[in-house]
Amino acid sequence: MPKQELKISGMHCSSCALIIEKKLKKLPEVKSATVNYANEKAVVEHSDDLEQGQLEEAIKQAGYGVKAFDDTAKPSGHQHGKTSSGREANKDRNHFIISLLISIPVFVLSMVMMSKGFENKVAQLILAGIVQFVLGARFYRGAYYALKNKAANMDTLVALGTSAAYFYSIATTFFIAGDVFFETSALLITFILLGKWLESRAKGKTGEAIKKLMELGAKTARIIVDGQEKDVPIEQVKVGDIILVRPGEKIPVDGEIVEGSSSLDESMVTGESMPVEKRQGDLVIGATINKTGSFKFKATKVGANTMLSQIIQFVQDAQGSKAPIQKFADMVSSYFVPAVVVIALITFLIWYFIIGVAFVKALMIFTAVLVIACPCALGLATPTAIMVGTGKGAENGILIKGGEFLEIANKVQVVVFDKTGTLTKGEPEVTDVIEHGTWNMKQLLEIAASLEKKSEHPLAESIVNKAKKEKISLSEPDEFNAVVGMGVKGKINGKKILIGTEKLMLQNHVLFDEKVRKEKIELEDKGKTVMIIAIDQSVAGLIAVADVVKETSKQAIEKLKDMGIETVMLTGDNKRTAKAIGKQVGIDKVLSQVMPEEKAEQIKKLQAENKKVAMVGDGINDAPALAQADLGIAMGAGTDIAIETGGIVLVKNDLNDAVRSIELSKMTLSKIKQNMFWALFYNSVGIPIAALGLLQAEFAGLAMALSSVSVVMNSLLLKRKKLK
């Protein structure tokens, strides 16, 4: 189903976002719509029947500006002018300064000169009117469209409160005797504009991770054409181009080294500070920096397919998403503004009719209640923390695809690991070839490698590599079949070949004696994976393969245990090998001989115990389990299918990052809860103080504005937190 991203302008609080969401969801072609107030972005999923411009028209009818979201996922390095958030902050700053310059004379005329003459009042009326209806036009426009959409938002509160002060002052200027309060309406709008400016600046900082990523890309590439070097814009690089990179230069796109070697600084993409040695055949990542030698590489991924572009897209998607906890804030916001208007009216009636204060006093209290209560802070509580959290993750090589995954990570009780390529390096090597019968080592390797070259399994690759090392020439199999989770079978030179597990042998009625079984057990007890080779129904030998455990695996398991999280390993390996690996890394529970299709079932069993389960994997066969788990964590070097299925991607393939992702989740959720507490606490305390007449209306406006800024600043403190 098509998904469209739109940039929204003119939103002033989370209620605005809800108004737009409701408007979009009324379109029958729209399946889902999410509007994020913090980054002013709408993500809409719709059917193919949606006509061009329908979404834009619906948003405009709701009273907001809209344009197609810029294709910012182009790491070309071309960044012209200021970002939209920067322009918005500058606009808010200019409006505040103009409003302040006009409001100061109003304040002087009213409070300093204290003249009650008609000319004085008219001068205040004109100056305050400019602030009220020119600089404050946005609030009237927003309130009008909110009313039109049968809703209420921050603009409603500001328009009502300031209008009460301004129009009452007009009445006392021309029709009734009394003091004017033009300075109240002018200063109210000025302070609110100050808050909007500070909020825009702070919100801009929450998206700094995206800006930094976008600035990383190279602008040009030096391609080799007919033996000649040619500098071309990055957009013109095509898959298959040969590119030359000299010391100190950025890698333009993703590719594979075909000539030369060097060390690369990949910290900007992976977060890894140490340079990485690269040689012929190794992959390089666009935007990383060549430190020492020169080399040539073949472009394999360009444009939106490069890792940098995908990282940017991941982060943008995550920052545009909503965490489930946001539903609470949305629900409160939808009822909040109407409730505040009712509270303000009741407050006015009590003060004027029951307590019996002057109409002016009751009106000012009414205004203070209206403007101090605003859902902005509550609306910013979740999205700003998510923007900072996902940005911080990206800077550390942890890609979190959405707010929901960040929230789920906080609740994880069990982490399930695949073995090969996850706990281990996924680069197994042949350690032993045991001969049986009349077959010698070279013959066994020739037969095994000739058949296994058709397989994509890492164990098959290790056998083929061993044969190449031994300079053994391979044959072309007559038949080949992969038996998922058990091995391979086929025919070579008319002979029926089976290579794989004991289960595969038993299924095909291959018998073997105690000697073979004993040798197999001895190898498995050392943590090696043993494959039996059968030729024409007779055991011809054993091939043992060892996959080295990653240095970080044991550390990661220990950290998870310290956090009180249970660890499980799922593998298709036999019990002995699995147990040996599990013991080596300190896994709590080892489930061996699990077929790929059974992995998801094992996840279901754990979930049936009312546990929140995370699955960490890297292969195609892990995809169902990653999808079944409450949280899928995919290794960055894994298959595209695994990466697509996972909710979190670990760019560095370091299992410590799985721990850090959970740690980051806990930090972010803690910030969200802090933000929500202070937003609710602020309103819980602020409204009664204003209702008791203890707060002047203009200072209520300032307090309201600063509450939003405080929530954003609290979210930004997350940047200073260090991941272990």
Side-chain angles (χ1 to χ4, degrees):
M1 189 167 280
K3 188 183 281 188
Q4 197 168 338
E5 295 180 359
L6 300 163
K7 186 74 176 171
I8 313 289
S9 60
M11 289 195 293
H12 297 145
C13 68
S14 58
S15 294
C16 297
L18 293 176
I19 289 169
I20 298 168
E21 275 187 14
K22 286 176 183 175
K23 193 77 175 175
L24 290 170
K25 286 175 181 175
K26 283 181 181 177
L27 295 173
E29 298 86 359
V30 170
K31 183 188 175 187
S32 68
T34 302
V35 180
N36 190 314
Y37 166 51
N39 65 3
E40 300 173 327
K41 178 178 175 182
V43 180
V44 186
E45 218 176 344
H46 56 81
S47 68
D48 294 321
D49 302 329
L50 188 79
E51 291 180 19
Q52 184 72 26
Q54 256 186 293
L55 297 178
E56 289 88 341
E57 187 57 35
I59 294 168
K60 285 174 184 174
Q61 283 178 9
Y64 300 90
V66 60
K67 62 180 179 179
F69 211 79
D70 294 335
D71 184 13
T72 50
K74 288 182 181 178
S76 61
H78 297 290
Q79 300 296 324
H80 300 295
K82 291 187 177 293
T83 61
S84 58
S85 59
R87 287 192 296 271
E88 190 68 27
N90 286 346
K91 181 182 173 185
D92 287 336
R93 178 198 63 195
N94 294 340
H95 281 191
F96 161 67
I97 291 171
I98 295 167
S99 183
L100 180 65
L101 291 174
I102 297 172
S103 298
I104 288 172
V106 177
F107 178 78
V108 171
L109 287 168
S110 174
M111 306 300 291
V112 179
M113 297 178 69
M114 308 224 16
S115 170
K116 296 185 181 179
F118 180 73
E119 295 82 0
N120 181 302
K121 290 181 178 180
V122 170
Q124 289 183 57
L125 182 152
I126 293 168
L127 290 171
I130 295 170
V131 175
Q132 186 77 30
F133 301 112
V134 178
L135 297 166
R138 59 162 83 178
F139 304 117
Y140 283 103
R141 187 167 52 249
Y144 165 73
Y145 279 107
L147 187 63
K148 188 179 174 184
N149 289 289
K150 299 185 178 74
N153 58 9
M154 184 203 91
D155 298 324
T156 309
L157 299 179
V158 175
L160 276 173
T162 57
S163 295
Y166 186 81
F167 286 108
Y168 173 79
S169 298
I170 288 179
T172 57
T173 300
F174 295 103
F175 307 112
I176 59 175
D179 295 328
V180 293
F181 295 94
F182 289 118
E183 85 286 351
T184 298
S185 66
L187 286 172
L188 258 173
I189 288 175
T190 300
F191 287 145
I192 290 166
L193 290 174
L194 169 63
K196 282 288 149 195
W197 171 39
L198 295 175
E199 184 185 310
S200 296
R201 285 186 64 191
K203 277 163 64 179
K205 289 180 181 177
T206 63
E208 279 179 357
I210 282 279
K211 294 172 202 165
K212 286 178 183 176
L213 287 168
M214 287 167 58
E215 289 165 0
L216 289 177
K219 296 179 183 179
T220 61
R222 187 177 294 109
I223 63 173
I224 309 295
V225 182
D226 298 326
Q228 300 295 314
E229 296 175 16
K230 182 182 177 184
D231 286 341
V232 299
I234 194 73
E235 294 84 1
Q236 292 182 19
V237 177
K238 302 186 294 295
V239 172
D241 282 348
I242 302 299
I243 300 166
L244 173 66
V245 183
R246 295 195 177 107
E249 294 181 340
K250 282 185 179 179
I251 313 300
V253 296
D254 296 0
E256 181 181 334
I257 295 178
V258 293
E259 184 183 316
S261 62
S262 184
S263 64
L264 270 58
D265 176 2
E266 297 185 339
S267 60
M268 63 288 300
V269 176
T270 66
E272 180 58 61
S273 58
M274 293 297 291
V276 182
E277 296 298 322
K278 299 283 184 177
R279 56 185 63 83
Q280 190 172 335
D282 287 343
L283 299 178
V284 293
I285 304 168
T288 57
I289 298 171
N290 183 25
K291 300 288 284 184
T292 52
S294 295
F295 62 88
K296 293 177 184 176
F297 75 95
K298 182 172 71 176
T300 56
K301 290 181 181 177
V302 300
N305 294 320
T306 63
M307 182 180 284
L308 179 62
S309 290
Q310 289 177 343
I311 289 173
I312 290 171
Q313 193 59 52
F314 276 146
V315 179
Q316 283 180 333
D317 289 346
Q319 295 188 346
S321 67
K322 280 189 179 182
I325 197 170
Q326 177 69 23
K327 289 177 183 175
F328 169 73
D330 288 348
M331 181 192 70
V332 172
S333 295
S334 64
Y335 294 106
F336 191 79
V337 176
V340 168
V341 174
V342 171
I343 291 168
L345 285 169
I346 292 170
T347 302
F348 172 81
L349 294 172
I350 290 171
W351 276 98
Y352 186 59
F353 290 104
I354 298 176
I355 299 175
V357 300
F359 178 83
V360 174
K361 171 78 171 171
L363 185 67
M364 289 300 103
I365 293 171
F366 165 81
T367 303
V369 172
L370 281 179
V371 297
I372 198 169
C374 174
C376 290
L378 191 61
L380 289 166
T382 300
T384 53
I386 286 174
M387 286 175 74
V388 177
T390 52
K392 187 175 182 66
E395 288 169 3
N396 287 275
I398 302 166
L399 305 183
I400 301 161
K401 293 186 182 179
E404 66 271 29
F405 301 114
L406 198 61
E407 186 171 338
I408 292 166
N410 178 58
K411 301 172 183 174
V412 166
Q413 297 161 289
V414 184
V415 178
V416 180
F417 296 92
D418 168 50
K419 181 179 77 72
T420 307
T422 303
L423 288 167
T424 64
K425 289 185 176 179
E427 298 169 0
E429 293 182 358
V430 173
T431 56
D432 304 87
V433 180
I434 310 295
E435 304 160 352
H436 278 275
T438 59
W439 302 94
N440 62 37
M441 186 191 78
K442 286 201 171 184
Q443 289 172 321
L444 290 174
L445 275 175
E446 181 190 344
I447 290 167
S450 295
L451 193 60
E452 292 281 18
K453 71 179 181 181
K454 296 284 187 181
S455 172
E456 294 179 354
H457 197 282
L459 297 180
E461 191 179 346
S462 68
I463 295 171
V464 174
N465 288 339
K466 178 69 173 175
K468 285 179 181 176
K469 268 186 192 175
E470 298 291 332
K471 295 186 171 55
I472 296 171
S473 57
L474 306 183
S475 308
E476 197 61 36
D478 305 319
E479 291 178 15
F480 172 82
N481 281 299
V483 185
V484 180
M486 288 191 276
V488 295
K489 61 182 181 178
K491 280 188 178 180
I492 297 176
N493 299 327
K495 296 183 182 297
K496 185 180 176 184
I497 313 295
L498 293 168
I499 306 171
T501 63
E502 187 172 334
K503 192 174 180 181
L504 179 67
M505 300 301 139
L506 293 173
Q507 276 191 7
N508 288 273
H509 311 293
V510 175
L511 301 174
F512 45 91
D513 56 28
E514 279 304 312
K515 184 186 175 189
V516 173
R517 188 172 273 108
K518 188 179 176 185
E519 287 172 338
K520 179 173 172 289
I521 289 168
E522 285 174 358
L523 291 167
E524 288 171 349
D525 284 341
K526 294 175 184 175
K528 297 176 181 179
T529 300
V530 182
M531 288 166 280
I532 303 166
I533 304 173
I535 302 173
D536 287 338
Q537 298 299 110
S538 298
V539 174
L542 305 174
I543 293 184
V545 175
D547 187 3
V548 181
V549 170
K550 291 178 184 174
E551 297 83 356
T552 57
S553 295
K554 190 174 182 181
Q555 295 170 5
I557 302 300
E558 285 173 356
K559 287 176 185 175
L560 287 171
K561 285 184 174 180
D562 289 341
M563 293 166 76
I565 294 173
E566 184 185 343
T567 55
V568 178
M569 182 174 80
L570 281 183
T571 178
D573 259 341
N574 61 78
K575 285 184 182 179
R576 288 185 183 82
T577 303
K579 193 176 178 182
I581 297 292
K583 188 177 180 182
Q584 202 173 332
V585 297
I587 291 271
D588 294 320
K589 185 177 181 182
V590 176
L591 299 173
S592 58
Q593 293 178 306
V594 180
M595 304 291 283
E597 65 272 17
E598 294 172 346
K599 286 185 177 182
E601 287 301 317
Q602 292 294 338
I603 299 290
K604 279 184 188 175
K605 285 180 183 177
L606 290 166
Q607 290 170 325
E609 298 171 19
N610 291 321
K611 293 176 179 177
K612 291 290 181 186
V613 182
M615 169 73 190
V616 188
D618 71 321
I620 291 172
N621 61 355
D622 296 322
L626 288 167
Q628 176 60 43
D630 298 288
L631 175 65
I633 302 177
M635 307 302 282
T639 63
D640 290 342
I641 293 174
I643 291 170
E644 283 296 318
T645 311
I648 294 177
V649 179
L650 310 180
V651 176
K652 298 198 295 278
N653 301 300
D654 182 345
L655 279 185
N656 279 316
D657 284 345
V659 184
R660 292 184 188 111
S661 67
I662 294 172
E663 185 188 1
L664 180 62
S665 164
K666 291 184 183 298
M667 288 179 186
T668 307
L669 264 290
S670 173
K671 281 292 172 196
I672 290 171
K673 288 172 184 175
Q674 287 172 26
N675 289 346
M676 284 189 167
F677 169 79
W678 287 114
L680 291 169
F681 176 80
Y682 162 81
N683 281 303
S684 301
V685 173
I687 293 173
I689 289 174
L692 289 169
L694 301 174
L695 196 63
Q696 283 182 252
E698 52 267 47
F699 293 117
L702 180 62
M704 179 272 283
L706 294 179
S707 69
S708 297
V709 178
S710 66
V711 163
V712 180
M713 296 306 291
N714 187 47
S715 294
L716 286 170
L717 289 175
L718 192 58
K719 285 185 172 185
R720 297 185 179 183
K721 296 273 188 181
K722 288 190 177 179
L723 298 175
K724 295 174 185 175

